[in-house]
Each structure stands twice: as C-alpha cells, then as structure tokens.
Amino acid sequence: MFLFSKKSSYKKYLLLCVFFFFQLATFAQIDYTTNPTLTNLIEALEGENLQISNLVILSGNPESQIALFEQDFINPNFLMDSGVYFSTGDVNTELSQVNASSNSSSTNNIFYEDEDLQSIEESATFDVVLFQFDVSLGNLSNSLVFSYQFASEEYPDFVGSIYNDVFAIFIEGPGIEAAQNIAKIPTSGNPTAVNFVNGGVLGFFGSSEANVDLNQTELYINNGHLNTGEENPLNQPGPFLVDVEFNGLTTLIESTAINLLPGETYQVKIALADTADSIYDSGVFFKPIRAPLVDPELSFTKQGIYLGDENEAQVGDEVRYVFEIFNNGFVNLNEFVFIDNFFENYEIEGLADLILAPNESFSFELPYSITQDDINRGALYNTASINYAYAEFDFSRLSDNSNVLDENHPFYNSNCPDCNVVLLPQNPELSLIKEASFNEENLNLGSLIQYNFNIKNTGNVDLFSVRIEDNLPGLRLFGEPITLLVEEENETNFSAEYNVQLSDFTIGKVINQATAIGYTLLDEEITDLSDNEFFIENNPTEVPIPPCDVSIFNTITPNNDGINDVFVIEGIACYPDNTVKIFNRWGVEVFSAKSYDNQDVVFTGNSSARATYKSDEGLPSGVYFYIIQYTNQEEKITEKGTLFIKREN
C-alpha cells in the first residue's frame, strides 16, 4: 500500500467544500423510499425459489444509507426495475440529482471493522453499510444469483489510488469451508472495486505502482466525466447517461454462488465501504436475489447390438440392448422407472431401489429376440425413457440413442426420426419352377400344352403381391397375386395354357421362361427367372415339337358319315405354302387349291375346276390323280399319286 501527500488529501477535502457552493438542481428519475424496515428489506431482496430470514443491519444508517427504489422508464444503462440501494453517502442526494459536479454527498462518521471485508481491502472501514441474513434454498435450487451495479464518485480521478472503494458479498454454509466473496468481476476474478473495474485510464491522483486493472472497460459506464487522466473540473461536461449523482458505474454484474446444497440454509453478508477516507462516496443498486431451479441432470444412453448372422437375419436371433444412466448433476436421484415398448413390464434388478449420487452411473443389458415382422421391416425401431425423482418432483428423460439414422438412409423412419435403430440383414429371394405337360403322344398344330408353376419364398423376408409374368406369345396365364411367407411354397395358384403354333414347328420346340415378381414390406421388387426342374437354377422350359410328316390318304367316301368324307393330307397344315391339284383319268383338272389345311380348304369329292361336273352332285366314283406341292424349310417338295373316290350306289 502507498500513501498520498497531505497536499493531495487536502485538495480532496477542498473539492468537497467547493461542491456546496456549486451544487446544481436536477430532476429525479428514480422513485425511492428511505429508511426501510427489516421486513421491507427482506421482501425487496427475496427473489424466486428462496426464503430470507434473520436479517440484521450490522453497520450503516437506514435513514440515509439504505433505500428501496423502482423506475418505470427504460434506460439502457440502468438495468433494474426495482431493488435495494445502499450507499456510503446519502441516498437522498445520490438518487435525486444527476452528476452535475464533483460531489461527496455525506460523511456518516461510521467506522466499522469487518474481518472478511478487510481481507479484501485493509482500509475498507469508513461509512460501512453491512447487513447479514440467512437464505434458505428451495429443494430444486443449488445456486444463488446476485445482480448489481456498483457506482462511485471516486471515478475517475482516484482510479489507481488508495481510495479503492469496495463492494463484497460473502457467503458461508454447508459445503463451504470459510466465508467466500463472490462479488467479483466476472472477466478477471478481482473484487468489485474502483481499481478493478473502471474506464481504463489511470486517474489524476492514481499511481502506476498501485494494484489496478485498466482492462475491464466493457463493464464500465462513464456518467459524464472526462476520461483522459487529467484532473476533472468541478462542473462535469456530461452527457449524464444515468440519472444519479455518480461519476461512473458498472454495467449489470451477476455473481453466482454455485454447487450449493438444495434445501439448505446459507448465511449471506453484503458489505460496501469507503476506503482510506469517508468522502467521495460509492453506492450499489441491488436486484432481488434469485435461486434458479436446478434441472437434475441425467444422461440416459441406449445402444442396440445385433448378434445374428451378418448376411441374413433369422427369427429368434438376439439383439442385445445396453443402457447406461449417468447422474451428471449435483443432486441425488432416485425412484427410477424404466420404460421401453420392447420390454414391457420388465423388472430390472437393482433399479427400483437405486439412489444415484452425482457422477455415479448404473448400467444394464437386456436381450431381445427378433420376429419375422422385425425382419420384414429390416430394422428395429424403438426408444426408451427413464423416469426418476428428486425431492418431491418427478422427471423423465428420453434415451440418447447411438444408432440413429440419417434421413437419407433407406431405412430411415420419418415416424420415429430419433429412434434407436438396429439394422437386420435382409435377403429377400423368390424361386420359380415352370413345368409343361400335354396329353397327345405327338404334338401337332393347335395341340394343347399345359404349364404348372411352383413358386417358393427362399429368402428371409415375407413377400407380397407375388405374381408371374410370361411373355410367350399366345400363352394364357391364370392366377391372382398372392402373399408368400418365408419358406412358403405354392404350386396351385398359377397355371397357363398354350396351343402349338406354326412357328413352333420352324424351331422344333416351344421354349420360354417365366418371371416371378414379388415385393417386400418396404416395396423392394424381387424377381426370379423360372427353372424347368429346380428352385435353385434358372433354365428355360422346353417342349420338343416333332417335325410334321406329310401322309396322304388315297381314298375318300363322301357319304357324310364322318369317315373318309374328305381328302386328308396329314401334316399339310404345317406347310401353309402349298398347292393341291386333282385330275381325272383324262387329265382334266377337277380341283385346285392353295394353302390346303384339311378343314377350311379341303377336297370333298366335288369338282371346283370345270363346269362339266356339277359341284353339288359330286364327281363320280373312280380313280383320280393328285399333285401336291409344298415348301419345307425352303425346299420345294412334290407328291404325286392316285386318289380313289368311292360312292355308294
């Protein structure tokens, strides 16, 4: 500590005397009431979630040094609507005029020594205002918040001097070994005092050897004085940003006592003092004390681990869920209740009686057997919550899930975006067998081929809207879409019919493949080409078509008995590029036709060539000659022979 010369002290007193001759009248902007009762003070200091009791004023004059205030205007530099104001000077002067001149409102002639206050500033014994009270926290609070603005007439000339007026808030009680001052500058940790929060310029009467912090200017409001380091004039130049008689004041400072015990009682001591002398006063505007509700902090994590085949999930495979409850708050928690729709009415050993202290954890694992519905969905979607209690209050916390999917993931579920998701390996498969059957020993043009389809779900996912497609021209397919469960086989629902066509004789067989099509629950299309014998293979189904041999019957008896009534050329329909001509014994053409087919184009024994014979009477019995020409795979073939027409007499 250092001392000023007597000249400096004398000058300070001289300034005080000059003040009385140059005081300027101003208009008050703050409503205030002096000489509050202890009950008034308790009501003004008592904020949310706490109770104040046993308040006692240990030092100070309530009539001149303590007031209750309120303001109904908005001032960006004065951040309080109401509260308690206390001063080392006279509240009437300080709250009724602006900072028009260098001023010291009063000398109260109070000398008080407080060990805690003097541990901060040894000479903080002048005009001391000090009151003490008990604060009882609510059951859901573990901190106290003190909000204030410190003001002083020591600014700015005595920044860096021994006149370091100081403000302190001391607290002691359960969990606190000794009284602690929490009224500290939040950005530096220094006490709230003139030398530690100011305009950033060493005062005219300050010394570079002093313990001073000039770096907290963001917390300081210049209320009209010069801030150049030169001595301020008696008349302050302004502007006066706050309508009080102080050269400067701090912005709103919040000091918080943390890690207190909910429901416990603490002793609080609030002290303000002039330092080294009793002139050039300081004051504090003080808001009601708050005890914010504590949110009993708890983390609850959930992780699902699939333990089955990584390629194909099966019914009954196990998923192991790992849970951890961690108390990352400051209070004991109990009455835990676990809720998870996968484990309804599941009792977890040790949970019901658990008392979880701060920084303690409790873990448990639960097995889950997957179902076919789970596999169909491709994933398990669920979340969990934990209910718990603190004091008489109940809380709930959803699990933090480690298996949450991004919204672009194919298995993302918009109905449960924050769910824990365990992916289950899907392997959807279909298998199809297509078999052919027919009743004729030799297939001819128009012969009927019947197809039977045997379809099986050979994957691990149920399939829906299962149908069969077959692109064989002329095939008639029967059967409606079906649902096919895992390992289910169906050989009765689908069938088909096909009549042999001319084009089949060209290649000598009917060959094709059908396609089975089904859909998973997630609308994924699954297909399989048919095999002719096995589910696991994909070979086309073939039906051999024997070649068409042309056989000519050489006798007709056109008597309409249905036997040999027409000239039959067996197999000729397989070769539509044909001509048939019939002549009598004299070489006269009696019949000629193209594309002979034994049905629509056919010789019935009647002439179609000359008018010599009436077509409705028919040709007479006798021997005739035929010439048949047709093309077989680009080869021109000619058949000649005799035809005997026999009519009954």
Side-chain angles (χ1 to χ4, degrees):
M1 181 170 291
F2 59 92
L3 297 176
F4 289 105
S5 67
K6 292 183 180 180
K7 181 178 180 180
S8 296
S9 298
Y10 173 77
K11 188 167 186 178
K12 187 174 181 183
Y13 278 96
L14 180 61
L15 289 173
L16 172 63
C17 295
V18 172
F19 154 74
F20 292 106
F21 295 97
F22 293 94
Q23 183 176 7
L24 298 177
T26 59
F27 295 98
Q29 296 293 324
I30 297 178
D31 293 330
Y32 63 94
T33 302
T34 60
N35 197 24
T37 66
L38 296 182
T39 300
N40 295 148
L41 283 174
I42 289 175
E43 292 174 349
L45 291 171
E46 194 174 74
E48 58 188 28
N49 309 316
L50 58 87
Q51 287 185 334
I52 293 178
S53 59
N54 302 324
L55 189 145
V56 58
I57 299 175
L58 299 177
S59 177
N61 183 353
E63 294 183 2
S64 61
Q65 290 186 271
I66 303 175
L68 306 181
F69 72 90
E70 62 180 19
Q71 63 164 352
D72 55 5
F73 69 96
I74 298 175
N75 187 322
N77 297 311
F78 190 66
L79 303 176
M80 300 187 194
D81 295 327
S82 62
V84 177
Y85 174 72
F86 40 95
S87 167
T88 60
D90 178 33
V91 298
N92 292 286
T93 301
E94 294 158 356
L95 298 181
S96 64
Q97 59 188 38
V98 298
N99 179 36
S101 63
S102 178
N103 182 39
S104 181
S105 60
S106 175
T107 300
N108 292 292
N109 296 316
I110 295 176
F111 184 85
Y112 186 86
E113 292 183 327
D114 179 81
E115 182 179 350
D116 295 324
L117 187 58
Q118 288 181 281
S119 68
I120 300 174
E121 188 65 57
E122 184 177 356
S123 61
T125 57
F126 297 92
D127 290 343
V128 176
V129 180
L130 190 151
F131 48 98
Q132 180 176 286
F133 51 88
D134 293 334
V135 177
S136 298
L137 295 176
N139 288 331
L140 276 180
S141 298
N142 67 343
S143 64
L144 288 172
V145 180
F146 302 88
S147 304
Y148 57 90
Q149 288 183 263
F150 171 77
S152 182
E153 282 291 285
E154 300 285 0
Y155 294 125
D157 290 349
F158 297 95
V159 173
S161 74
I162 61 173
Y163 305 109
N164 184 32
D165 290 0
V166 63
F167 168 67
I169 302 171
F170 298 100
I171 184 170
E172 59 181 318
I176 302 176
E177 294 183 0
Q180 297 180 0
N181 174 34
I182 62 169
K184 295 182 178 182
I185 307 304
T187 50
S188 67
N190 287 323
T192 300
V194 171
N195 285 349
F196 301 124
V197 54
N198 47 65
V201 176
L202 195 66
F204 182 76
F205 298 103
S207 169
S208 60
E209 298 178 4
N211 182 15
V212 62
D213 183 357
L214 302 177
N215 298 311
Q216 308 305 320
T217 56
E218 291 185 0
L219 299 176
Y220 182 72
I221 301 170
N222 179 340
N223 198 31
H225 65 75
L226 297 178
N227 197 42
T228 60
E230 60 186 296
E231 185 176 4
N232 269 259
L234 295 179
N235 296 322
Q236 302 299 304
F240 308 117
L241 302 180
V242 182
D243 293 325
V244 294
E245 179 56 68
F246 284 112
N247 289 343
L249 66 162
T250 68
T251 60
L252 186 70
I253 295 175
E254 285 198 343
S255 298
T256 304
I258 63 174
N259 299 334
L260 306 181
L261 299 180
E264 294 292 342
T265 298
Y266 291 83
Q267 187 180 79
V268 175
K269 183 168 57 177
I270 296 177
L272 173 69
D274 282 342
T275 302
D277 69 10
S278 59
I279 60 174
Y280 289 115
D281 304 305
S282 296
V284 173
F285 297 90
F286 202 85
K287 290 181 68 173
I289 304 168
R290 296 184 294 115
L293 291 177
V294 62
D295 180 10
E297 297 184 32
L298 176 144
S299 68
F300 178 43
T301 59
K302 173 180 181 179
Q303 181 182 18
I305 305 170
Y306 171 67
L307 301 179
D309 189 327
E310 64 180 11
N311 296 314
E312 184 173 309
Q314 298 294 328
V315 174
D317 283 350
E318 181 179 319
V319 173
R320 182 172 301 160
Y321 285 98
V322 180
F323 302 87
E324 183 184 50
I325 307 170
F326 178 73
N327 183 352
N328 51 5
F330 302 101
V331 294
N332 291 346
L333 306 176
N334 58 5
E335 297 184 17
F336 290 92
V337 177
F338 170 71
I339 300 174
D340 191 312
N341 60 326
F342 278 14
F343 305 100
E344 294 184 7
N345 302 319
Y346 202 99
E347 184 174 345
I348 299 168
E349 184 178 356
L351 186 65
D353 300 325
L354 176 65
I355 298 176
L356 204 60
N359 297 318
E360 287 186 348
S361 64
F362 179 81
S363 301
F364 58 96
E365 297 182 1
L366 297 176
Y368 176 82
S369 296
I370 66 173
T371 67
Q372 186 59 56
D373 286 341
D374 297 330
I375 300 174
N376 290 343
R377 286 189 291 269
L380 298 175
Y381 302 90
N382 76 320
T383 189
S385 64
I386 196 78
N387 294 341
Y388 58 100
Y390 167 68
E392 71 271 25
F393 299 94
D394 295 324
F395 301 88
S396 182
R397 176 66 184 265
L398 290 176
S399 59
D400 293 321
N401 302 313
S402 59
N403 309 68
V404 177
L405 297 182
D406 183 83
E407 62 180 4
N408 296 320
H409 194 283
F411 284 92
Y412 175 79
N413 187 343
S414 60
N415 294 323
C416 196
D418 297 321
C419 270
N420 184 285
V421 181
V422 177
L423 300 178
L424 304 176
Q426 286 188 321
N427 183 31
E429 287 186 348
L430 264 177
S431 294
L432 178 64
I433 296 175
K434 176 182 179 181
E435 296 178 319
S437 63
F438 45 87
N439 295 326
E440 301 179 27
E441 183 176 350
N442 292 314
L443 293 175
N444 297 303
L445 182 67
S447 293
L448 179 65
I449 301 176
Q450 294 180 316
Y451 290 97
N452 181 64
F453 298 93
N454 189 1
I455 187 169
K456 184 177 181 179
N457 184 339
T458 51
N460 73 332
V461 175
D462 293 340
L463 298 174
F464 307 91
S465 300
V466 179
R467 69 181 193 277
I468 290 176
E469 292 183 355
D470 197 314
N471 60 1
L472 179 63
L475 184 78
R476 300 177 298 280
L477 189 62
F478 309 100
E480 296 297 323
I482 61 173
T483 295
L484 208 58
L485 305 181
V486 172
E487 297 185 356
E488 184 179 2
E489 185 175 343
N490 185 295
E491 56 182 341
T492 60
N493 187 71
F494 299 103
S495 62
E497 293 180 350
Y498 178 78
N499 292 99
V500 177
Q501 301 179 19
L502 287 173
S503 58
D504 300 325
F505 291 98
T506 302
I507 61 175
K509 58 186 174 181
V510 177
I511 179 172
N512 78 309
Q513 273 185 301
T515 302
I517 303 173
Y519 298 88
T520 69
L521 184 67
L522 303 176
D523 208 32
E524 178 186 0
E525 184 177 87
I526 308 300
T527 62
D528 181 63
L529 289 173
S530 64
D531 187 74
N532 62 345
E533 188 174 4
F534 302 105
F535 284 123
I536 60 175
E537 297 183 9
N538 292 318
N539 296 310
T541 300
E542 297 185 15
V543 177
I545 303 297
C548 271
D549 294 330
V550 175
S551 298
I552 304 170
F553 292 81
N554 59 4
T555 300
I556 65 172
T557 57
N559 55 6
N560 296 321
D561 65 355
I563 301 173
N564 296 328
D565 286 333
V566 299
F567 180 34
V568 176
I569 307 172
E570 191 175 83
I572 193 64
C574 295
Y575 311 101
D577 184 13
N578 66 67
T579 59
V580 176
K581 293 183 179 182
I582 300 175
F583 305 88
N584 63 14
R585 60 185 297 180
W586 294 283
V588 177
E589 183 180 288
V590 296
F591 178 83
S592 178
K594 293 182 178 181
S595 299
Y596 195 91
D597 61 6
N598 297 318
Q599 295 180 5
D600 297 327
V601 181
V602 63
F603 177 58
T604 62
N606 293 351
S607 175
S608 63
R610 295 183 58 178
T612 307
Y613 304 98
K614 295 180 179 180
S615 60
D616 57 347
E617 294 180 359
L619 295 170
S621 299
V623 177
Y624 294 82
F625 301 92
Y626 62 81
I627 299 175
I628 302 172
Q629 292 181 321
Y630 60 92
T631 301
N632 184 1
Q633 297 182 355
E634 299 183 357
E635 179 185 358
K636 293 285 187 179
I637 299 174
T638 300
E639 302 278 358
K640 297 180 179 179
T642 59
L643 172 64
F644 180 62
I645 298 176
K646 181 180 179 181
R647 294 185 182 275
E648 295 180 357
N649 295 329

